[in-house]
């Protein structure tokens, strides 16, 4: 008989969701594959949700409520609770965080903001604090969590990060002038590290393939790549091959339009001094 891993429902909303899902599935006499067929997911995906290793989507939670009507809408309620969990991330972001930690390389495109992995504390605080529903206590937790993500770039087997951003990002005031000045100096300094490449798509390019939104691609040694796509509400993480191929092509196109590494660093420094330096 295969071993069944113990679950700790008290570890957080994601784990509570997973434990309740396993309990309901077992009570109904369904395997993970059988439940997956009803929900439109693979059995492996169901297993990851049960273990708290993958955040359920809203559609997944709704499907669980339909599959187990006797639960009285329990999974939808847990999903709402888990949207902001105790790790400092929204629940829908948890899957990408896991991908980011396991990746051997990361490719990031940002048309609006400095990538989270390269943000300063003040810059992150200004962005995260713009949400009117975020309290001061939540803000401190969110900033700490975002900065904590950056530890992957300092580990012994750090992933290679290739960040491409639109020039408009350098000119958009986030926080104060000092916040922008310090952020751009940190960005330029980061681009000198051997495992980090920062390139800027200059404004003179005009319309380009990345104007519809930011995304990131995580690649692994022995697993399919994963894509994270931003949206105004909540981002989406997917391993669908057609999506990965399309966004990989988009990233390569943007990288071809961008200035070389050294010229990008020079532009970042120039904007910092000419636009954001204070006297």
């Amino acid at each position: 008989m295969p071993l069944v891993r113990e679950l700790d429902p008290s570890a957080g909303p994601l784990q509570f969701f997973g434990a309740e899902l396993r309990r309901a599935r077992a009570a109904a006499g369904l395997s993970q594959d059988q439940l997956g067929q009803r929900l439109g997911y693979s059995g492996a995906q169901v297993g990851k949700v049960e273990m708290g290793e993958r955040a359920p989507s809203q559609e997944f939670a709704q499907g669980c409520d339909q599959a187990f009507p006797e639960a009285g809408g329990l999974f939808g309620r847990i999903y709402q609770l888990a949207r902001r969990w105790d790790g400092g991330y929204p629940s829908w972001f948890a899957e990408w965080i896991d991908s980011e930690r396991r990746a051997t390389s990361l490719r990031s495109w940002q048309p609006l903001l400095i990538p989270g992995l390269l943000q300063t504390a003040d810059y992150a605080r200004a962005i995260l604090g713009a949400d009117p529903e975020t309290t001061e206590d939540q803000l401190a937790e969110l900033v700490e969590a975002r900065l904590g993500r950056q530890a992957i770039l300092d580990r012994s087997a750090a992933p290679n990060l290739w960040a491409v951003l639109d020039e408009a990002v350098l000119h958009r005031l986030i926080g104060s002038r000092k916040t922008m000045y310090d952020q751009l100096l940190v960005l330029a300094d980061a681009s000198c590290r051997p495992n980090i490449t920062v390139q800027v798509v200059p404004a003179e390019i005009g319309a380009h393939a990345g104007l519809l939104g930011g995304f990131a691609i995580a690649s692994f040694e022995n697993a399919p790549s994963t894509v994270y796509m931003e949206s105004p509400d909540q981002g989406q993480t997917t391993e669908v091959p057609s999506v990965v191929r399309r966004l990989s092509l988009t990233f390569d196109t943007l990288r071809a339009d961008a200035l070389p590494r050294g010229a990008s660093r020079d532009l970042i420094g120039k904007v910092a001094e000419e636009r954001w330096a204070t006297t």
Side-chain angles (χ1 to χ4, degrees):
M1 177 180 294
L3 293 176
V4 178
R5 291 172 59 186
E6 292 295 325
L7 303 181
D8 181 7
S10 65
L14 295 179
Q15 289 74 18
F16 181 52
F17 188 106
E20 287 300 304
L21 178 60
R22 175 185 284 183
R23 184 194 61 77
R25 177 179 61 78
L30 298 174
S31 68
Q32 291 177 346
D33 287 334
Q34 289 170 330
L35 177 58
Q37 290 175 358
R38 295 189 181 188
L39 300 177
Y41 292 83
S42 69
Q45 288 173 310
V46 171
K48 288 183 177 181
V49 172
E50 288 188 357
M51 293 307 304
E53 296 173 353
R54 170 168 292 185
S57 65
Q58 186 171 10
E59 292 74 17
F60 187 98
Q62 290 172 344
C64 290
D65 282 333
Q66 293 172 2
F68 307 113
E70 65 279 3
L74 172 66
F75 296 101
R77 294 195 297 273
I78 303 176
Y79 170 80
Q80 293 301 325
L81 172 65
R83 289 192 66 180
R84 185 161 299 222
W85 60 300
D86 59 0
Y89 310 107
S91 63
W92 48 262
F93 199 51
E95 185 178 353
W96 174 250
I97 291 296
D98 177 64
S99 297
E100 205 173 59
R101 289 169 178 162
R102 295 185 294 107
T104 55
S105 70
L106 294 162
R107 290 170 284 171
S108 171
W109 159 247
Q110 277 291 348
L112 299 175
L113 301 168
I114 303 295
L117 289 175
L118 300 175
Q119 290 177 8
T120 65
D122 288 340
Y123 189 94
R125 187 174 296 107
I127 293 169
L128 296 168
D131 185 345
E133 297 184 351
T134 300
T135 67
E136 283 298 319
D137 289 342
Q138 290 172 334
L139 179 58
E141 183 181 23
L142 290 169
V143 172
E144 182 180 359
R146 178 159 297 186
L147 297 183
R149 288 169 53 201
Q150 300 174 5
I152 64 171
L153 298 175
D154 297 319
R155 68 191 187 197
S156 58
N160 291 308
L161 172 62
W162 204 312
V164 180
L165 50 112
D166 194 276
E167 183 180 347
V169 173
L170 309 180
H171 296 272
R172 179 170 292 107
L173 176 63
I174 302 295
S176 66
R177 296 177 64 85
K178 184 178 186 305
T179 295
M180 286 302 302
Y181 181 76
D182 293 344
Q183 173 65 81
L184 294 194
L185 292 188
V186 167
L187 183 65
D189 184 63
S191 72
C192 296
R193 297 173 60 173
N195 64 317
I196 300 176
T197 299
V198 178
Q199 288 185 263
V200 179
V201 176
E204 63 193 38
I205 292 294
H208 56 68
L211 291 178
L212 295 180
F215 61 86
I217 306 169
S219 297
F220 313 95
E221 188 170 343
N222 296 306
S225 295
T226 298
V227 163
Y228 170 73
M229 297 173 287
E230 296 181 341
S231 72
D233 181 25
Q234 61 184 46
Q236 178 183 358
T237 301
T238 180
E239 300 172 357
V240 176
S242 61
V243 177
V244 174
R245 284 195 300 270
R246 184 174 72 252
L247 291 184
S248 295
L249 176 59
T250 298
F251 186 86
D252 289 343
T253 302
L254 292 165
R255 187 170 56 184
D257 285 338
L259 297 172
R261 186 176 189 173
S264 294
R265 187 181 305 120
D266 291 342
L267 177 59
I268 293 168
K270 178 181 178 181
V271 174
E273 296 296 335
E274 294 183 357
R275 185 171 177 83
W276 302 120
T278 57
T279 56

